[in-house]
Every structure is written in structure tokens, then in C-alpha cells.
């Protein structure tokens, strides 16, 4: 128990010592994060907690749970953006780390559990999502929690009690209620295929599967009923069930990528273990006929990695961030196969390749002797930490040169009215002002009461000859009318 508490403390310090500085220093992304500010403001103004709107247009893209939390935080604190990141991304990310440790500890031992959970903690992409205002980390937590509980039931380190079963099925529902059908499709399909391979589908009876699914449908019915009784509720439901559910799976309106898209992006999403992960997946697929002889941890991490990977690859819309629920399982799967890593020369080569990128020359002598696979993983983690320290140090320079941070004070100034030119996403900056920032595609159509124009540098052209640049960075410019 004392060792576990010590490891939990190490994980806590190791995680938040990176997340908190990054969260404090980051400037919000204008495309999505600022959009969520606008949606939250409209939810608070309308007092409609089930129908989302974006500039008074229906926004059925996301379920409401995440925006409920955003609304609560906004009413409780003036440090809105930082606490959003801390409570709705970073904290849920840390909960995933804790569950990862608990899972591996129960199926292996505390030493392997700490190695794997800490390695997950500092995956660059995982840390990046931890300081991004999106609902992907929250959804990933509910997916991981439901799978964690299921495997706990199956391997007897979690008791099959009514209270635990209720939590299990609530986690499945909250996966939907956070980001839609993918939140339940991933864990349910994973569980069913796992039991099929185990030739133990009868286990569904032990976890009251039919009752649990009925309970989930009951909760969904309550959600849909509250939508239907609202203004525009029927239209909203049709969009939610059509365009934003079936449409995203079959023919997405955006982010359309080929089936193999995630194969190439997983190399950096799971960095520095991406190549190793893909190779081990292929290796395990070749050995699928010997499933019954596999180690418990290999079974659950393999199935929890490859099934979501296939599900997400089959969907029409694809983004790198959609792989977030797979990250902890991918690291568990990769690092729990230590023996394969040691025996296979390709894997050793891939590790050496990333070590060359990450390690300092003065340590090369130390590598040549007494250097086992655990030391390799430790050194990779160590130098990723060094990389993050460098990122933290240069982040203020990045904000100044490549974000809208330098323009924030001007946009907030009540005496200055700003519009934008060929920059549609600029309307999301309206959350900083008392007016809606309008965008124009023609200089001639800009009203005279707009003396200032915000523009991307790539769109500067001759038609702006009557305007002078008063503030500029590498990506954006603010212009003032000379007349």
C-alpha cells in the first residue's frame, strides 16, 4: 500500500509539473476552443441545457455534458480558460493514468505498472490533449473506465456488485453523452469481440448486459425527450441522429480521410512508441490462433487497441485527436510485451532510432554497457521530459509570434471596433468583446465604422492600400484605416 501511494505521488508530480505550466502559458485556439466559449455563453444566456447553439444557429455536433461543465466553471471562477483545461482535460487525463496503474498492478505488478503508467503520462500527444479544451480526454476517461471495470469483473479484481455495474453502465452512457455514438461503440464492440475470442459470451449474463443496455436506452430517452420539448427540438434531433451520427460515420461533412490514415498518423500520436506499436499489432495478429495462450494483459491491451483503431479507421471523418482513447492501451500493449521487444531486432532498431533523436551525446558511452530494455524506456521518458521543459520555455515566444495573444488587449478595448478580412474563424473572438466580430471577403464592403481590420498575413493584398499595419506577428496583422 505504501509503495502504491508513493507511485501515485510520483505520477501526480510527473504529470502536473508539465500540464500546469503548459496550461497557464497556452493561448486559446481560435477555431475550436474559442468556439466552445461562444457556445457556453449562449447556453448560459438561453438557459437551454439540451440544445446547443453557435451564434444562434443550431449546433448538434456535440452532446451537452461537456458544455454543462464549462457553464458551471464559468459561473464559479474568473480564471475560466485555465480551470477548463485543468478540470475538464488534465484531471480526466490523470484519472486515466491512475486507472492504467491500477489495471497493470492487478494483472502484473507495481513495478511494471509504474513503468507503463509513467510512460503514458509523458506521451507528447497525450500531454498535448491534456492542455487542450476539447471533450476528447473526458470521453476517453469514460471509455477507459468502462473497459477497466469490465476487465476487473472478468479477471476478478473488481467485484460484480450492483453498485459497480451501475457505475459501469453509467460510464458507457456518459461516453455517448460526452461526444456521441463513438463513446459507446468503442467499449461495447471491444467487449463483445473480447468475449467472442474468449468463447465466453455467456459472461454477459453475469454483468446483466440486457438490463444494462436497457438502462442506457432509458437515459438516452430522457435526454432526447428534453430536446424534443424545446424550441426547434425536433429539427435538432433530426440533425443529431442524421448529420451528426450516421453522417459522420458514412459521409462526414469534414475531415474526410482514407482508411489507412491512422496507420501513418499513429507513428507520431503514440511517439516514441508508434513504430513499435504498429509492428507488435502485426505480430500479434499473426499469432491470433494462439489467443488462449496469451498473457492477460496482452489480450486486453491488444483488443482494446486494435478494435477502436479499426472502428475509427472505418469512419468517414478522421482527426489525429480521435485516437486519444487508444493511447493508454497502446502503451500498455507495447511495453507489456517486453520479451518480444528484446528478441526482435526491428524493435530494437526503432528504439535506437528514437534514442538517437532524444539522447544527448555525452550519455552515449553509458548506453554501451549495462543497458537493458527498462533502462532504454527510462531514458526515453527522461529525455521527453527535457523536451517538454524546452517547449515550456519557448511557449511565450510561440504565443507572441504565431497566435492572437498580442492582439487580445486591442480586441478587448471597448473604444476600438475590429472586423476581419478573409478570416471567418475570427468571429470566435467575439467572446472577448461586447459585439460580434464580422468578417468580410471584399474590402469595399467593410462599413466605415470599422477602422481596424484583423487579417492573416497570407491574405494581405493590394486592395488594402488604404490601410496601414499597426501590429503584426508571424501569422496575423492588425490594420488601421488611414482615412
Amino acid at each position: 500500500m505504501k509503495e502504491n501511494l508513493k507511485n501515485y505521488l510520483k505520477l501526480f508530480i510527473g504529470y502536473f509539473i508539465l500540464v500546469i505550466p503548459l496550461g497557464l502559458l497556452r493561448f486559446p485556439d481560435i477555431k475550436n476552443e474559442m468556439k466552445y466559449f461562444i457556445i457556453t455563453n449562449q447556453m448560459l444566456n438561453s438557459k437551454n441545457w439540451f440544445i446547443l447553439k453557435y451564434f444562434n444557429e443550431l449546433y448538434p455536433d456535440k452532446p451537452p455534458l461537456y458544455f454543462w461543465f464549462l457553464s458551471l466553471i464559468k459561473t464559479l471562477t474568473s480564471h475560466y480558460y485555465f480551470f477548463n483545461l485543468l478540470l475538464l482535460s488534465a484531471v480526466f487525463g490523470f484519472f486515466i493514468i491512475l486507472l492504467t496503474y491500477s489495471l497493470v498492478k492487478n494483472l502484473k505488478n507495481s513495478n511494471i505498472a509504474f513503468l507503463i503508467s509513467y510512460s503514458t503520462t509523458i506521451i507528447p500527444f497525450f500531454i498535448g490533449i491534456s492542455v487542450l479544451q476539447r471533450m476528447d480526454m473526458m470521453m476517453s476517461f469514460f471509455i477507459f473506465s468502462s473497459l477497466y471495470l469490465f476487465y476487473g469483473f472478468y479477471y476478478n479484481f473488481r467485484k460484480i456488485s450492483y453498485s459497480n455495474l451501475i457505475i459501469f453502465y453509467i460510464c458507457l452512457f456518459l461516453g455517448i453523452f460526452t461526444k456521441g455514438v463513438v463513446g459507446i461503440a468503442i467499449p461495447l464492440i471491444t467487449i463483445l469481440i473480447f468475449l467472442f475470442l474468449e468463447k465466453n459470451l455467456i459472461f454477459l449474463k453475469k454483468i446483466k448486459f440486457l438490463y444494462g443496455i436497457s438502462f442506457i436506452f432509458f437515459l438516452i430517452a430522457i435526454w432526447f425527450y428534453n430536446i424534443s420539448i424545446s424550441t426547434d427540438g425536433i429539427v435538432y434531433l433530426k440533425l443529431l441522429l442524421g448529420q451528426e451520427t450516421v453522417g459522420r460515420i458514412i459521409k462526414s461533412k469534414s475531415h474526410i480521410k482514407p482508411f489507412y490514415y491512422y496507420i501513418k498518423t499513429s507513428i507520431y500520436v503514440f511517439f516514441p512508441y508508434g513504430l513499435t506499436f504498429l509492428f507488435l499489432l502485426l505480430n500479434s495478429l499473426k499469432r491470433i490462433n494462439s489467443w488462449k495462450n496469451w498473457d492477460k494483459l496482452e489480450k486486453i491491451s491488444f483488443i482494446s487497441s486494435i478494435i477502436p483503431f479499426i472502428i475509427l479507421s472505418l469512419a468517414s471523418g478522421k482527426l489525429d485527436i480521435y485516437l486519444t482513447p487508444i493511447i493508454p492501451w497502446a502503451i500498455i500493449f507495447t511495453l507489456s510485451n517486453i520479451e518480444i521487444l528484446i528478441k526482435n531486432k526491428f524493435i530494437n532498431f526503432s528504439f535506437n532510432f528514437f534514442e538517437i533523436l532524444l539522447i544527448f551525446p555525452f550519455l552515449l558511452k553509458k548506453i554501451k554497457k549495462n543497458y537493458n530494455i527498462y533502462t532504454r524506456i527510462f531514458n526515453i521518458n527522461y529525455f521527453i521530459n527535457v523536451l517538454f521543459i524546452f517547449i515550456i520555455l519557448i511557449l511565450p515566444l510561440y504565443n507572441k509570434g504565431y497566435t492572437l495573444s498580442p492582439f487580445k488587449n486591442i480586441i478587448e478595448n471597448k473604444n476600438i471596433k475590429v472586423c476581419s478580412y478573409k478570416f471567418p474563424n475570427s468571429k470566435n473572438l467575439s467572446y472577448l468583446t461586447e459585439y460580434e466580430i464580422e468578417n468580410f471577403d471584399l474590402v469595399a464592403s467593410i462599413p466605415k465604422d470599422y477602422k481596424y481590420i484583423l487579417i492573416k498575413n497570407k491574405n494581405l493584398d493590394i486592395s488594402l492600400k488604404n490601410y496601414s499595419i499597426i501590429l503584426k506577428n508571424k501569422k496575423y496583422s492588425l490594420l488601421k484605416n488611414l482615412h
Side-chain angles (χ1 to χ4, degrees):
M1 180 64 73
K2 189 175 181 180
E3 182 185 9
N4 290 332
L5 289 174
K6 188 177 179 181
N7 286 338
Y8 287 140
L9 181 60
K10 288 179 181 177
L11 291 171
F12 179 86
I13 293 172
Y15 181 69
F16 284 103
I17 204 170
L18 297 177
V19 165
I20 289 177
L22 288 169
L24 285 171
L25 293 172
R26 271 196 72 238
F27 188 76
D29 163 55
I30 189 172
K31 185 176 180 180
N32 289 304
E33 293 179 297
M34 291 189 188
K35 177 191 283 189
Y36 294 161
F37 295 152
I38 302 292
I39 295 168
T40 301
N41 287 343
Q42 298 210 248
M43 175 179 276
L44 287 168
N45 292 335
S46 69
K47 300 294 189 284
N48 190 325
W49 309 108
F50 290 93
I51 291 185
L52 305 180
K53 289 189 175 182
Y54 175 54
F55 287 109
N56 297 313
E57 293 183 2
L58 295 176
Y59 184 78
D61 298 45
K62 306 290 187 295
L65 180 63
Y66 186 76
F67 296 95
W68 289 358
F69 282 109
L70 290 181
S71 299
L72 179 63
I73 293 170
K74 187 172 179 64
T75 59
L76 294 177
T77 177
S78 57
H79 301 287
Y80 177 46
Y81 179 62
F82 173 71
F83 280 101
N84 288 342
L85 296 182
L86 181 65
L87 298 176
L88 302 185
S89 290
V91 169
F92 280 100
F94 183 63
F95 288 162
I96 291 174
I97 298 300
L98 295 183
L99 290 179
T100 299
Y101 180 87
S102 178
L103 177 76
V104 180
K105 176 179 68 70
N106 279 288
L107 296 179
K108 286 279 191 179
N109 58 64
S110 58
N111 290 331
I112 297 294
F114 181 77
L115 176 72
I116 290 175
S117 53
Y118 184 69
S119 297
T120 306
T121 296
I122 58 169
I123 293 297
F125 199 84
F126 188 82
I127 289 289
I129 305 305
S130 297
V131 292
L132 189 65
Q133 182 178 278
R134 284 183 65 110
M135 60 285 297
D136 296 83
M137 192 63 85
M138 183 188 289
M139 180 194 68
S140 298
F141 167 74
F142 292 127
I143 290 173
F144 195 95
S145 297
S146 57
L147 289 172
Y148 169 84
L149 286 169
F150 169 75
Y151 294 131
F153 299 151
Y154 192 81
Y155 288 116
N156 299 313
F157 62 85
R158 284 291 176 270
K159 184 180 178 182
I160 302 178
S161 63
Y162 282 110
S163 58
N164 281 339
L165 285 173
I166 289 171
I167 294 171
F168 169 64
Y169 287 110
I170 286 177
C171 283
L172 287 173
F173 167 72
L174 291 178
I176 309 174
F177 206 44
T178 303
K179 206 180 175 184
V181 68
V182 69
I184 193 171
I186 286 176
L188 272 188
I189 296 173
T190 301
I191 288 167
L192 291 173
I193 293 179
F194 173 81
L195 291 176
F196 173 78
L197 290 172
E198 288 284 286
K199 298 179 181 179
N200 194 13
L201 287 170
I202 198 170
F203 186 77
L204 294 173
K205 287 187 177 181
K206 292 186 178 180
I207 59 172
K208 315 293 180 187
F209 187 71
L210 292 179
Y211 290 107
I213 295 300
S214 299
F215 175 59
I216 290 172
F217 275 114
F218 172 71
L219 294 176
I220 293 173
I222 294 174
W223 170 23
F224 285 1
Y225 171 75
N226 279 282
I227 292 175
S228 67
I229 61 175
S230 303
T231 305
D232 297 323
I234 301 301
V235 175
Y236 192 88
L237 269 177
K238 288 179 179 179
L239 291 171
L240 182 66
L241 295 172
Q243 173 183 303
E244 299 305 326
T245 301
V246 177
R248 280 176 178 263
I249 297 170
I250 298 173
K251 190 176 182 181
S252 179
K253 63 184 179 182
S254 59
H255 316 309
I256 299 173
K257 301 289 191 304
F259 172 81
Y260 56 83
Y261 176 76
Y262 288 132
I263 294 175
K264 59 180 183 179
T265 59
S266 62
I267 293 173
Y268 63 82
V269 170
F270 304 129
F271 177 85
Y273 307 110
L275 285 174
T276 308
F277 168 68
L278 291 174
F279 184 88
L280 286 173
L281 274 185
L282 182 61
N283 182 276
S284 294
L285 278 171
K286 292 178 181 179
R287 300 185 295 112
I288 196 72
N289 290 334
S290 61
W291 171 268
K292 65 180 181 179
N293 298 322
W294 288 17
D295 175 76
K296 293 175 183 177
L297 199 58
E298 185 183 4
K299 284 182 178 180
I300 66 174
S301 57
F302 168 77
I303 209 70
S304 300
S305 298
I306 197 166
I307 298 304
F309 198 89
I310 293 171
I311 291 170
L312 294 170
S313 295
L314 288 172
S316 175
K318 296 178 181 68
L319 282 175
D320 301 345
I321 198 171
Y322 294 168
L323 291 177
T324 306
I326 306 177
I327 292 175
W329 296 110
I331 307 309
I332 293 171
F333 174 68
T334 303
L335 299 187
S336 63
N337 284 280
I338 299 296
E339 293 81 7
I340 297 175
L341 294 176
I342 294 170
K343 292 176 183 177
N344 195 283
K345 292 182 180 179
F346 175 82
I347 299 300
N348 283 332
F349 170 77
S350 70
F351 265 74
N352 284 326
F353 174 73
F354 289 123
E355 285 169 314
I356 290 169
L357 294 179
L358 295 170
I359 209 155
F360 289 118
F362 65 81
L363 285 177
L364 290 176
K365 291 182 180 179
K366 184 180 177 182
I367 294 175
K368 293 179 181 178
K369 54 183 180 180
N370 302 322
Y371 197 61
N372 59 32
I373 197 72
Y374 296 99
T375 308
R376 289 186 178 201
I377 295 169
F378 172 80
N379 279 331
I380 286 173
N381 292 344
Y382 178 79
F383 286 103
I384 289 176
N385 271 315
V386 173
L387 179 64
F388 272 119
I389 291 170
F390 175 74
I391 290 171
I392 289 168
L393 291 175
I394 67 167
L395 197 53
L397 294 176
Y398 175 82
N399 284 338
K400 185 177 180 181
Y402 295 94
T403 75
L404 287 163
S405 177
F407 305 87
K408 183 174 180 287
N409 291 335
I410 293 176
I411 293 168
E412 288 179 324
N413 191 328
K414 295 179 180 179
N415 298 319
I416 297 176
K417 194 173 182 182
V418 179
C419 68
S420 67
Y421 174 64
K422 295 183 179 179
F423 188 10
N425 287 329
S426 68
K427 65 181 181 179
N428 294 330
L429 288 167
S430 298
Y431 94 96
L432 294 172
T433 70
E434 295 179 351
Y435 61 91
E436 183 176 328
I437 293 181
E438 293 187 65
N439 179 67
F440 300 93
D441 290 324
L442 295 172
V443 174
S445 63
I446 299 176
K448 292 182 179 180
D449 58 331
Y450 285 110
K451 298 293 183 183
Y452 297 86
I453 300 176
L454 187 64
I455 187 173
K456 290 183 177 181
N457 292 339
K458 66 179 182 180
N459 292 327
L460 287 168
D461 58 46
I462 193 67
S463 61
L464 293 161
K465 61 184 179 180
N466 292 325
Y467 290 84
S468 175
I469 297 173
I470 62 170
L471 183 61
K472 184 178 182 180
N473 65 9
K474 301 287 186 182
K475 194 170 183 180
Y476 306 101
S477 293
L478 184 71
L479 284 64
K480 184 178 181 182
N481 195 326
L482 296 175
H483 300 292

